[in-house]
Amino acid sequence: SAVISQKPSRDICQRGTSLTIQCQVDSQVTMMFWYRQQPGQSLTLIATANQGSEATYESGFVIDKFPISRPNLTFSTLTVSNMSPEDSSIYLCSATGGNTEAFFGQGTRLTVV
Amino acid sequence: DAKTTQPTSMDCAEGRAANLPCNHSTISGNEYVYWYRQIHSQGPQYIIHGLKNNETNEMASLIITEDRKSSTLILPHATLRDTAVYYCIVRATGNTGKLIFGQGTTLQVKP
């Protein structure tokens, strides 16, 4: 089955800085998604990463804060901009394609200090 | 997509069947029931899905009531490695694949 690799796996960042998270799938997929999981909480969908066009954001999430790129069928990035401690979460990439149900990366554990 | 309701937590003895319920009373005719689980510090893992018939795979069985307003995920012989948060998700046919997660059920399998 397809595998998602996320980089970095974890990071500790200073408030006010930005972090870009990479998501690489080892096969072509149709759709890619980004989720946030705050401490002790369930997953919340941030956006759908669209190839070659602007991402589709869910309510409560905006492009200025979470710019997303998807230059091809296997790669996407999520940037968490101007970070504050409230952005401390696990960020997860997901993908789906063909007959494959949605699968997930292991996540990026972000701590903002 | 329809909303789901699950118990917050459940315990199960190792080797026994774990039966995890889910209510989805507002489910529409074109909506599937999906189950995922998230083991601590890992990404969610797909378990099984179904529309109206009962389904079984190597991981679990899914029993959907005839009116489709509720379902039960069955892990036939729970092991300690099955300790996880289990999410029941309703998703429409033709949906792009995005999943809306509820709070899930924390299953603790005990020796």
Side-chain angles (χ1 to χ4, degrees):
Chain A
S1 58
V3 174
I4 290 177
S5 299
Q6 278 189 239
K7 291 181 181 180
S9 58
R10 59 177 62 232
D11 208 342
I12 301 173
C13 299
Q14 296 291 325
R15 66 179 68 198
T17 63
S18 298
L19 175 71
T20 295
I21 302 167
Q22 298 181 358
C23 175
Q24 178 72 57
V25 191
D26 66 354
S27 60
Q28 291 187 353
V29 291
T30 306
M31 306 297 296
M32 295 183 75
F33 307 92
W34 287 97
Y35 291 81
R36 179 176 74 182
Q37 187 169 29
Q38 295 176 300
Q41 301 297 313
S42 181
L43 285 78
T44 301
L45 179 65
I46 297 173
T48 302
N50 300 311
Q51 188 203 353
S53 64
E54 189 172 292
T56 303
Y57 290 85
E58 298 296 310
S59 175
F61 297 95
V62 296
I63 188 171
D64 290 347
K65 177 66 176 178
F66 298 102
I68 289 170
S69 78
R70 188 181 172 193
N72 57 49
L73 289 173
T74 64
F75 185 78
S76 178
T77 66
L78 167 73
T79 298
V80 186
S81 303
N82 188 24
M83 289 183 285
S84 68
E86 292 70 33
D87 294 319
S88 296
S89 296
I90 298 173
Y91 292 87
L92 295 117
C93 175
S94 172
T96 185
N99 294 321
T100 304
E101 300 304 329
F103 55 101
F104 289 78
Q106 292 303 294
T108 296
R109 184 178 296 273
L110 171 62
T111 301
V112 183
V113 297
Chain B
D1 296 329
K3 181 180 170 64
T4 62
T5 303
Q6 299 177 252
T8 302
S9 64
M10 295 181 64
D11 290 342
C12 178
E14 188 178 20
R16 305 297 295 270
N19 296 277
L20 292 92
C22 178
N23 284 315
H24 31 80
S25 59
T26 61
I27 193 170
S28 300
N30 68 339
E31 290 180 319
Y32 285 78
V33 180
Y34 281 76
W35 284 84
Y36 279 75
R37 73 180 182 183
Q38 186 175 27
I39 297 171
H40 184 63
S41 297
Q42 297 184 22
Q45 175 191 24
Y46 167 78
I47 301 173
I48 199 168
H49 75 282
L51 183 62
K52 54 182 179 181
N53 297 320
N54 298 337
E55 302 287 346
T56 295
N57 63 20
E58 65 280 3
M59 290 183 67
S61 294
L62 174 60
I63 308 298
I64 302 174
T65 58
E66 191 170 343
D67 63 8
R68 303 208 322 122
K69 292 184 177 182
S70 65
S71 60
T72 301
L73 178 74
I74 301 172
L75 308 178
H77 305 287
T79 71
L80 298 179
R81 290 190 298 271
D82 292 320
T83 292
V85 180
Y86 288 77
Y87 296 100
C88 170
I89 301 167
V90 170
R91 181 166 79 81
T93 307
N95 183 299
T96 57
K98 70 180 185 180
L99 299 171
I100 305 302
F101 287 79
Q103 293 306 305
T105 296
T106 299
L107 174 68
Q108 181 73 48
V109 180
K110 298 184 174 181

